[in-house]
Amino acid sequence: MRQERIGWASGILFDTGTLRLLFDPTLGRMLGEDWRVFITHAHSDHTYGFSTRALKYSTEETRRIYEALRERQAKNCHSVRIGDTIRIDDCEVTALNAGHMMGSCQFKVVTPNFTAIYTGDINCVDTLTTQAAERDSCDYLVVEGTYGHPSYLFPKRSTIYADIVRWTMTEIKDGKIPTFQVYSSGKPQDVVRLFNVYTKIPVICSPAIARANSVHTENGVKLDYLDSSTAEGKRALRSGGCVYITSAATDHPRRNASRAVTTGWAIRQAFRNRASFPLSSHADYSQLIQFVKTVRPKKAYVYTGYTDILSTQIERKLSIRAGPLPVVAQTKLVDFYRVG
Ligand SMILES: [Zn+2]
């Protein structure tokens, strides 16, 4: 039996001593059919596992959004619902809501010797399309630290929504087409819903976003929008009085576009020639601290973003042992994955 380990091995690795579980691997095609990988959500930096031959576990929504964006089918997949527990050998793995985007989940693993949670990306407040991340107890917590710096404190979401609507109305009055640049899935659907709920402004979406939108509508999130590649969408963009949402930086109506970004980085960063709003799909610093406080693990491992700073803050403020997620395999990676 190997030593139990939690760490980074081109993905988040929980090695129970008898079983290696890999979450959000970045290995691409290297993993064979005998591997089991877990995919937390459909953002492209978390979905490399879908292109491996391994047995993949994700929510149905995550796989469907991935397939809609890539326009191809993922194979050898097993769907889990939020709240479902699956048994693998002597371990149990449960999917918990992560609140980050449709279908996003955390994974909790119960082994004979320890319990651990990998959060993936989390958001701890409700949005117009998702509910706040669940909190469950565990011995070891692997938590994201994207905005784990004390300067990242987001305003109330309703305040940001109001700011976005106000700016959009002003730009439209000036004859412009407000154009929001966002990822293809998650945030854009929240922005579409925002305009649907609070305004009557027609919403036009680029084709990739429209494909992700359709998965949302199939799963009960009502979105009114036009695809910019359709005749109706093109006509609406020509006549103006609408808002355009796209995932490509260079894609905007040639004339009359006034551009905006929605990102948590807007708290500290200015964006040239663009309006910016701190609307994020991630937890801010205070949400992360509160999350760890509630979970109260024996040890927290922080991966991505402000790993050192958030670890120090968790130790100081909560008296919980914390540190950046250790790297367990970086060199000789191929050898590492070939052995057992
Ligand atoms: Zn994400």
Side-chain angles (χ1 to χ4, degrees):
M1 186 163 143
R2 297 182 305 267
Q3 190 196 346
E4 296 160 8
R5 284 185 298 186
I6 291 178
W8 175 260
S10 291
I12 309 292
L13 177 76
F14 289 178
D15 189 341
T16 69
T18 55
L19 192 63
R20 282 172 173 161
L21 302 174
L22 192 59
F23 301 84
D24 291 343
T26 57
L27 283 168
R29 294 177 185 283
M30 201 183 289
L31 298 170
E33 282 163 14
D34 50 340
W35 272 85
R36 291 185 176 99
V37 303
F38 296 80
I39 296 157
T40 56
H41 66 286
H43 283 153
S44 59
D45 51 339
H46 292 256
T47 55
Y48 296 104
F50 278 127
S51 58
T52 68
R53 285 182 293 127
L55 176 58
K56 299 105 182 159
Y57 296 90
S58 75
T59 62
E60 177 87 8
E61 295 91 329
T62 291
R63 182 179 56 77
R64 289 277 299 107
I65 294 170
Y66 169 83
E67 290 177 336
L69 292 176
R70 296 297 176 102
E71 297 183 282
R72 69 184 172 101
Q73 282 205 314
K75 296 195 180 91
N76 202 18
C77 296
H78 184 94
S79 290
V80 288
R81 278 178 306 211
I82 303 290
D84 273 1
T85 297
I86 51 169
R87 177 165 271 281
I88 303 173
D89 296 350
D90 57 356
C91 294
E92 285 184 344
V93 184
T94 304
L96 307 170
N97 173 37
H100 176 62
M101 64 178 289
M102 174 176 275
S104 66
C105 66
Q106 314 167 60
F107 285 109
K108 176 174 182 174
V109 178
V110 178
T111 81
N113 301 317
F114 66 86
T115 57
I117 291 175
Y118 164 51
T119 62
D121 291 347
I122 48 166
N123 181 12
C124 304
V125 296
D126 291 348
T127 76
L128 295 170
T129 52
T130 52
Q131 288 187 319
E134 280 177 76
R135 293 142 203 231
D136 202 347
S137 58
C138 60
D139 299 325
Y140 301 106
L141 175 69
V142 180
V143 62
E144 65 136 323
T146 307
Y147 293 114
H149 185 289
S151 63
Y152 285 99
L153 298 172
F154 301 147
K156 268 174 72 178
R157 212 158 171 100
S158 55
T159 305
I160 308 170
Y161 289 151
D163 288 346
I164 291 174
V165 168
R166 204 173 302 120
W167 176 82
T168 302
M169 299 287 211
T170 306
E171 296 304 307
I172 289 178
K173 257 185 214 147
D174 287 349
K176 303 278 179 51
I177 296 181
T179 298
F180 289 85
Q181 191 208 323
V182 285
Y183 289 135
S184 301
S185 59
K187 188 94 59 75
Q189 287 73 39
D190 204 46
V191 175
V192 174
R193 187 94 188 109
L194 151 68
F195 288 115
N196 290 169
V197 169
Y198 296 112
T199 78
K200 293 191 179 344
I201 301 169
V203 180
I204 321 300
C205 295
S206 63
I209 291 177
R211 291 199 299 277
N213 286 356
S214 61
V215 180
H216 282 67
T217 51
E218 283 162 21
N219 285 281
V221 175
K222 194 173 177 314
L223 299 174
D224 287 327
Y225 63 96
L226 294 171
D227 181 335
S228 65
S229 66
T230 63
E232 221 182 340
K234 284 178 185 153
R235 205 164 34 243
L237 275 178
R238 269 198 307 274
S239 50
C242 59
V243 59
Y244 184 49
I245 302 175
T246 177
S247 50
T250 52
D251 172 28
H252 48 83
R254 226 168 283 157
R255 289 174 298 125
N256 300 338
S258 59
R259 295 159 65 200
V261 293
T262 53
T263 170
W265 302 116
I267 291 286
R268 283 175 62 176
Q269 192 181 331
F271 292 82
R272 216 164 146 248
N273 300 327
R274 284 172 288 178
S276 60
F277 303 94
L279 187 75
S280 181
S281 310
H282 289 265
D284 69 359
Y285 167 77
S286 68
Q287 290 176 43
L288 288 170
I289 290 290
Q290 198 56 43
F291 182 86
V292 178
K293 186 179 178 184
T294 312
V295 173
R296 198 131 206 111
K298 286 182 192 153
K299 178 154 189 183
Y301 294 107
V302 183
Y303 83 97
T304 202
Y306 291 100
T307 53
D308 288 311
I309 290 170
L310 185 58
S311 301
T312 306
Q313 294 290 320
I314 290 169
E315 292 205 321
R316 277 199 199 141
K317 285 180 169 281
L318 307 176
S319 301
I320 291 171
R321 282 196 303 139
L325 184 70
V327 175
V328 299
Q330 198 155 37
T331 54
K332 295 189 178 173
L333 197 59
V334 177
D335 293 341
F336 178 80
Y337 282 105
R338 270 191 195 133
V339 179

